[in-house]
Structures are given as C-alpha cells and as structure tokens.
Amino acid sequence: MRVPYLDLKAQYESIRGEIAGALDAVIARTAFAGGPFVEKFEGEFAEFTGSEHAIGVSSGTSALWLTFLALGVEPGDEIITVPYTFIATAETISFCGATPVFVDVDDVTYTMDPALVEAAITPKTKAIVPVHLYGQPANMGPILEIGESHGIPVVEDAAQAHGAEYKGRPAGSLGHAGCFSFYPGKNLGAYGEAGAVVTDDGELAATIRMLRDHGQDRRYYHKMIGWNARMDGMQAAVLSVKLKRLGDWNEARREKARMYEAGLGEIDGVVAPREAEGRCHVYHVYSARVAHRDAVFDALREREIQCGIHYPVPIHLQEAYAHLGLGEGSFPVSERCATGALSLPIYPELEPEQIEFVCSEMGTVLAELGPEA
Ligand SMILES: *Cc1c(COP(=O)(O)O)cnc(C)c1O
C-alpha cells in the first residue's frame, strides 16, 4: 500500500468546480494584485481568528518580516524565539538586522518553554516570538504574562496553526500579532505563495498595510520605505473557498491523529505527539519521536510510506547561524527532537487503512531494529 506524505490533489478534487469559478471571477475582474478578493478574504480571516484586522501578504515569511519592521525592530535589537522551528522564524529577525535570541522548547509540546524566557530578556529585547509548532499552540498564558510585565510585544508564529486554540481562543489572536503562512502544504494552503498578519492593533495593521505596498497608503505618495509583499487576488479567491472547509479538514486531521495514537501506543520506541491541557492541536504535522529515526525513515520509504523530518537541524546549528557561536549542547531538548522526530503522513483525506498500515509497518521495523536508540 502506497502512503504519500501529503496528497494535495485529493483535496483539489473535492473543490475543483468551486475553485474554477473563483479563479474565473478574479480574471474577469482583472483583480490580480491586492484588490477586492484580497479584501474579502482579509475580512473572512479576521473573523475566523477573532481579530480586528487581517492583512494579506505574499507569504508567511513576509508576514513575520513586516510585523517586526512595523514594531520598529532595528539593527542591534534582539527578539526571543526558539531554535526548533522552520528557518523563516529566525531569518526574518535577521533580515531586520536584529539578532534571534533562542530559548529551548519543552519536552512534551516542542514549543517555547516559558520558564526560560525571563532570563533571556535584555534592554534590547523588542519581541517574544513563540511558534505554534506542528499545529499545537505554545503555552501562551505564561508567555503573555512575561511579555506584559516587561512591556514587550508577543508575536505568534502561527504559520502551522490555522484554527488551533489555546484555552478556547484562536491561535494568532492571543498575542500582539499573529503571523500565518498559506504555503500550499499548510492546513490552509493557497495555490501558490501567500500569508497574513492578524492583530487588534489598528496602528500596527495600518503600518503593515503600507509596508506591504511600497510604503504608500495612497498611490504614488510614499510615507515610508516599504516593499512589494502584497497578496495576489487568485490566492485570496482560492483561500476564501478553502477557509469555509478548514474546520472540517482540521477535525479530520484530529481524527487521524487519534487513530495514530491508538495504533502507535503499543509500539516500543515510539513517543506519539500529545495534545496539552487546554489546547486544540490541528496536526499540521504529526511528528512522533522514534528510536533509530533515520533507519526507520529509510525502512518505511522502502515500504512505500513517505515520511518527513521537521526539522533535522535546529537553527542554532545551521551553517547560516554559525556566527552566533552556539554549539552543540546549547539547547538540549531541541537537539534531541531534531535527532528523533519523524513526521508521519497526515492529511484530511488519508484513509484509516493507510494509518493502520503505517502503524503496523512501524511496529515491524522497530521490532527488527530493537526499541533502544
Ligand atoms: C511555513 C512557515 C513559515 C513561513 O511561511 P512561508 O509562507 O513559507 O513563507 C514560517 N514559520 C513557520 C513555523 C512555518 O512553518
């Protein structure tokens, strides 16, 4: 049985007619760059996240970068984040000329450990950026408290967490701003590149709107130096079609996760992901910790089960960040995760038989390798 890591085509088949109509409407109005379809989606996405404003941009990377710029982050500043994330979280900090200051993640949710944040704050700290990794919100309560007590804004990297919740509140709406990616493989994915920032801060929203469009709020009158980071109309139209179904798709992912949990529970050498108290995990990635990770990855691939690794190298050990001088052992939990994490196939259309097959093959492979690393 073949089990692909992801099958975007299966989802497309279920919405094909509606997508065709939506794209045709954009072309008929020639509303390609920004425009009415982007505005419509922004309204829908603001409502979905329970935020006052949503600003559509060209990618999740742009969302983070423009948010930091709009918060006034400058060369020499520091932003606290985690090393166990996708590179964009740190890269956008560096792209403002600021320095990412890392704190480790906790061992259960793989998100920012609030107990480590306070000690990382300096007079140069301009933001705290927890990442809702794999679709599970970070422990936002204590993180927001620390931010508040020091007057430092908290920006959520919610690029993997569309529709996730912390104590009943939508991911992205808890901090000062939330940054989303609509990269095609994300739980809410465009048919190209796109992203968004959500916030209740009208002034911040207005600045991000200008920054994404060459620093203008009126055509050819430029208040600040900006960039071209607009969302395009076709992506917005696709996202409007897909947003209506996101709740059902996330529920389907959660159901697949429950099936995996039941199937993996018996196997020695596997730690299945856990949903922490008070959080709704939307399983963008179903990352288990597995003994003999690389050997298991290869063995499953031979059995036509395609897995992923998110992420094999924590940011502080990437060549691009060698200048920070943070060697091995700096962030032990992140480093252990990077060695043991194996992402199993998960998407709403995945069949129960496929999950059973993955679990049974995993059991066979680990029995052969032995459960100890
Ligand atoms: C996908 C992702 C991003 C960047 O989003 P793009 O749309 O690919 O630019 C940022 N942070 C995290 C955690 C992501 O997973």
Side-chain angles (χ1 to χ4, degrees):
M1 187 185 302
R2 214 179 72 81
V3 189
Y5 181 68
L6 182 64
D7 185 359
L8 292 176
K9 210 148 171 221
Q11 187 181 82
Y12 174 56
E13 293 304 335
S14 73
I15 52 175
R16 196 172 187 144
E18 214 177 322
I19 291 286
L23 293 179
D24 186 61
V26 176
I27 300 166
R29 284 189 68 173
T30 64
F32 299 120
F37 295 91
V38 173
E39 280 167 31
K40 176 170 176 285
F41 173 69
E42 287 174 337
E44 293 161 355
F45 198 64
E47 193 182 332
F48 177 78
T49 57
S51 304
E52 291 283 319
H53 310 274
I55 306 103
V57 294
S58 55
S59 69
T61 304
S62 300
L64 287 161
W65 182 48
L66 298 189
T67 300
F68 298 148
L69 290 176
L71 286 171
V73 174
E74 286 178 351
D77 290 342
E78 294 174 356
I79 293 182
I80 296 171
T81 190
V82 290
Y84 192 52
T85 179
F86 180 58
I87 188 78
T89 319
E91 203 175 43
T92 48
I93 295 168
S94 304
F95 232 56
C96 298
T99 303
V101 172
F102 298 119
V103 297
D104 213 346
V105 296
D106 79 63
D107 212 19
V108 175
T109 68
Y110 315 128
T111 60
M112 180 177 277
D113 185 343
L116 303 172
V117 175
E118 193 102 43
I121 293 174
T122 77
K124 297 179 185 169
T125 308
K126 286 292 153 65
I128 301 169
V129 184
V131 180
H132 304 323
L133 196 74
Y134 303 148
Q136 167 143 259
N139 191 0
M140 290 301 289
I143 295 171
L144 290 168
E145 246 170 61
I146 296 165
E148 234 159 72
S149 73
H150 290 266
I152 299 169
V154 174
V155 175
E156 301 169 67
D157 183 338
Q160 303 187 358
H162 325 72
E165 288 174 6
Y166 178 86
K167 296 189 175 163
R169 287 180 58 194
S173 72
L174 294 138
H176 202 93
C179 299
F180 288 88
S181 162
F182 305 120
Y183 180 78
K186 298 284 161 83
N187 286 25
L188 179 60
Y191 286 167
E193 307 274 356
V197 182
V198 300
T199 183
D200 288 341
D201 178 341
E203 211 172 302
L204 187 76
T207 306
I208 295 170
R209 276 183 206 291
M210 278 192 272
L211 286 171
R212 74 167 171 186
D213 192 20
H214 305 291
Q216 62 191 347
D217 60 358
R218 217 171 114 207
R219 206 163 199 190
Y220 305 131
Y221 292 82
H222 306 275
K223 283 200 175 155
M224 57 182 73
I225 295 169
W227 200 251
N228 174 1
R230 295 180 298 254
M231 180 184 272
D232 86 61
M234 296 234 199
Q235 302 313 330
V238 167
L239 290 167
S240 285
V241 170
K242 294 179 78 172
L243 181 59
K244 291 182 284 183
R245 292 165 170 89
L246 181 59
D248 290 342
W249 285 334
N250 280 344
E251 196 38 61
R253 282 175 185 268
R254 289 172 56 74
E255 196 188 321
K256 315 293 165 189
R258 286 192 287 270
M259 290 179 196
Y260 267 128
E261 204 174 329
L264 296 172
E266 311 287 290
I267 304 172
D268 275 345
V270 179
V271 180
R274 273 225 321 262
E275 186 177 55
E277 182 79 19
R279 290 178 236 186
C280 174
H281 192 324
V282 292
Y283 296 99
H284 169 57
V285 173
Y286 190 86
S287 181
R289 278 161 80 185
V290 178
H292 313 284
R293 194 267 316 274
D294 294 332
V296 171
F297 180 96
D298 290 342
L300 291 177
R301 189 174 50 193
E302 270 165 36
R303 292 154 194 254
E304 300 198 296
I305 296 168
Q306 194 186 13
C307 296
I309 294 173
H310 302 93
Y311 296 88
V313 182
I315 310 287
H316 67 287
L317 299 179
Q318 295 283 353
E319 206 179 326
Y321 280 100
H323 62 277
L324 295 179
L326 298 163
E328 244 169 85
S330 305
F331 304 101
V333 182
S334 295
E335 290 167 29
R336 240 182 296 135
C337 289
T339 311
L342 185 70
S343 311
L344 305 182
I346 194 159
Y347 48 90
E349 299 80 10
L350 189 65
E351 300 289 346
E353 305 76 57
Q354 290 176 300
I355 296 174
E356 278 162 31
F357 179 66
V358 173
C359 294
S360 75
E361 295 302 298
M362 176 84 92
T364 308
V365 167
L366 274 169
E368 279 168 16
L369 290 165
E372 295 308 317

